[in-house]
Amino acid sequence: MPRRVAILGTRGYPSYYGGFETLVRTLAPYLADTGWDVSVYSRPGATELQDPARDHRIESITTRGFDSQSLSTLSFGATSALSAIRRRPDVALVMNVANGFWLPFLRAARIPTVVNVDGIEWEREKWGANAKRAFRVGAQLTASHATSLIFDSAGIADRWTTGFGRDGTTIAYGGTVPGELDVPPGLQSGAYALLVSRFVPENTVEEFLDAAAIIAREHDVVLVGSSGYGGELDARAERLAAENSRVHWLGHVHDDQHLFALWRHAGAYFHGHSVGGTNPALVQAMACGAPTVARDTVFNREVLGDHAIFVQPDVFAIAAAVTTLLRSRTVQRDLAAAAEARARRCYSWDSVCEQYDVLLRQHVARSDRWGREDISGASSVSISEPGRFDANLPTASGQ
């Protein structure tokens, strides 16, 4: 009988929202190929069930929740966990520490849990005080109750070792090397700047929008992304595109090939993410051979090595670095070739999926040996100052 894995904490399968969803679109069919019975918990309206690339071996289970910025992760996580407890998979792959609130229940049901902790959510500027507190408590509960942890970078692993006393397995994200692609309509290869980002403050979007007005004096600027909920950054991008014919705001791009082509032919890709580990968009940009200007962080340097131009989150520094890169085709070619080679060497999807497969199988074998009597494997980590949290666990609200 095939072993059963349930994947919780993403928008579902197949979905094109973000990094977790890209991982699941690649990992779920791989696991099915290696003999797993795979179920992915999904949100209503968030999946492309008619997608011709959909693998029909993957079961998409839709549960209910509150589709809002403050409650979606917690509410859909709760209903997914309850369903998983009823269905009793052999192991659960859980994404995001916000779902740490539900790990005690999965542990009580003797379901091993492998948790991808994502980034340092409680330090993201987009969250208010209550949301940051919720993510922090979720992380503490994850440290206490997860069977095993996955970190997507060495930098994230270090934070969990020092902050929570937990170790785990470091597995990055993969990138798809697309080969030759046509230049996107209306653009010239190597002659435009590109931003691909969720529109949140910690991704340096505000600074780049200001820099875009300077860059667009000489070069086209393409903006891909949005906040997902509207807001000032979306409004600014819209105004910028309306006022300057060189600025193109595309919103969220669902078509992978279109997005890959934008990266492949960009003269300068700006990556401003500051909180998190290995960023999936950055890995994919490298695989597409995008010459990159990146915000100078320990995480971005870990992924890019020496194959990028690093800048501080300053409008004029960003504009100067991007403009300089756009003026030099030689530097573009050198950075592009080095980044693609590094992606092939360090960030292949085959390697990523194999590591997930091995880790999940280890926990199924472990639970079989122990009869699921003690599956936690967690260090003895208590929630600091528990009296502050007992009576009123916060929701991810308060933006």
Side-chain angles (χ1 to χ4, degrees):
M1 176 180 293
R3 292 301 191 186
R4 297 178 300 139
V5 58
I7 303 176
L8 295 74
T10 77
R11 290 176 176 256
Y13 175 85
S15 179
Y16 292 81
Y17 181 75
F20 275 161
E21 287 72 25
T22 301
L23 170 62
V24 169
R25 287 204 320 274
T26 308
L27 176 62
Y30 181 97
L31 293 176
D33 286 342
T34 59
W36 288 91
D37 183 338
V38 185
S39 300
V40 181
Y41 282 92
S42 304
R43 301 180 189 181
T47 57
E48 303 285 344
L49 296 180
Q50 304 307 315
D51 187 340
R54 178 190 176 196
D55 189 323
H56 290 275
R57 296 173 298 174
I58 312 306
E59 183 181 16
S60 181
I61 304 172
T62 301
T63 62
R64 295 184 178 183
F66 299 101
D67 191 12
S68 70
Q69 187 176 15
S70 59
L71 293 174
S72 57
T73 299
L74 287 173
S75 61
F76 284 108
T79 56
S80 297
L82 289 172
S83 174
I85 289 168
R86 290 194 298 269
R87 294 168 63 93
R88 297 190 62 77
D90 294 294
V91 62
L93 174 59
V94 182
M95 306 296 195
N96 196 320
V97 296
N99 291 304
F101 287 96
W102 321 125
L103 294 180
F105 302 101
L106 291 165
R107 180 178 177 179
R110 297 181 179 178
I111 299 171
T113 53
V114 177
V115 182
N116 183 320
V117 303
D118 200 14
I120 311 300
E121 289 290 330
W122 53 94
E123 293 183 2
R124 294 191 187 276
E125 295 178 39
K126 71 175 181 177
W127 300 120
N130 286 342
K132 290 178 179 179
R133 184 167 171 248
F135 278 116
R136 180 73 184 185
V137 175
Q140 291 168 323
L141 289 166
T142 298
S144 295
H145 296 284
T147 312
S148 181
L149 302 182
I150 293 175
F151 312 117
D152 62 34
S153 75
I156 295 295
D158 289 344
R159 291 291 300 271
W160 276 78
T161 300
T162 58
F164 299 100
R166 283 296 304 266
D167 59 9
T169 304
T170 300
I171 308 176
Y173 289 95
T176 300
V177 178
E180 294 303 316
L181 295 167
D182 292 337
V183 181
L187 298 170
Q188 180 182 347
S189 185
Y192 61 90
L194 174 66
L195 173 76
V196 179
S197 175
R198 194 169 302 165
F199 282 12
V200 291
E202 62 268 18
N203 291 349
T204 327
V205 175
E206 183 174 2
E207 292 86 348
F208 185 81
L209 292 178
D210 287 339
I214 301 172
I215 299 165
R217 296 170 186 169
E218 300 179 31
H219 306 277
D220 283 349
V221 179
V222 179
L223 309 172
V224 175
S226 68
S227 69
Y229 297 92
E232 177 56 28
L233 291 176
D234 294 60
R236 288 187 60 191
E238 185 176 18
R239 287 196 303 270
L240 193 61
E243 294 168 358
N244 192 321
S245 62
R246 286 187 178 273
V247 179
H248 314 271
W249 181 38
L250 306 185
H252 184 70
V253 173
H254 293 267
D255 184 340
D256 278 352
Q257 293 306 301
H258 185 195
L259 186 55
F260 292 173
L262 287 167
W263 270 315
R264 173 66 87 187
H265 292 284
Y269 164 60
F270 177 71
H271 185 80
H273 295 60
S274 63
V275 180
T278 300
N279 183 267
L282 179 56
V283 171
Q284 186 56 58
M286 293 167 62
C288 291
T292 300
V293 174
R295 180 166 172 171
D296 194 355
T297 70
V298 63
F299 305 115
N300 291 339
R301 284 188 177 271
E302 179 182 337
V303 175
L304 287 158
D306 297 326
H307 310 312
I309 298 169
F310 294 96
V311 296
Q312 296 302 313
D314 172 80
V315 171
F316 297 105
I318 294 168
V322 169
T323 300
T324 299
L325 183 55
L326 285 167
R327 291 172 179 168
S328 177
R329 295 302 177 96
T330 300
V331 177
Q332 287 179 22
R333 287 192 294 269
D334 289 347
L335 289 178
E340 183 176 332
R342 183 172 174 82
R344 289 178 183 272
R345 185 172 65 254
C346 302
Y347 299 103
S348 75
W349 274 123
D350 283 345
S351 174
V352 169
C353 291
E354 181 182 9
Q355 291 175 76
Y356 271 91
D357 185 22
V358 169
L359 184 59
L360 291 170
R361 289 181 186 278
Q362 288 174 350
H363 288 293
V364 170
R366 185 180 190 180
S367 67
D368 285 346
R369 289 198 308 271
W370 294 352
R372 294 191 178 181
E373 289 301 319
D374 179 7
I375 63 168
S376 72
S379 304
S380 178
V381 180
S382 61
I383 298 177
S384 60
E385 299 183 57
R388 295 179 56 191
F389 306 125
D390 287 346
N392 185 24
L393 287 176
T395 60
S397 60
Q399 292 74 266

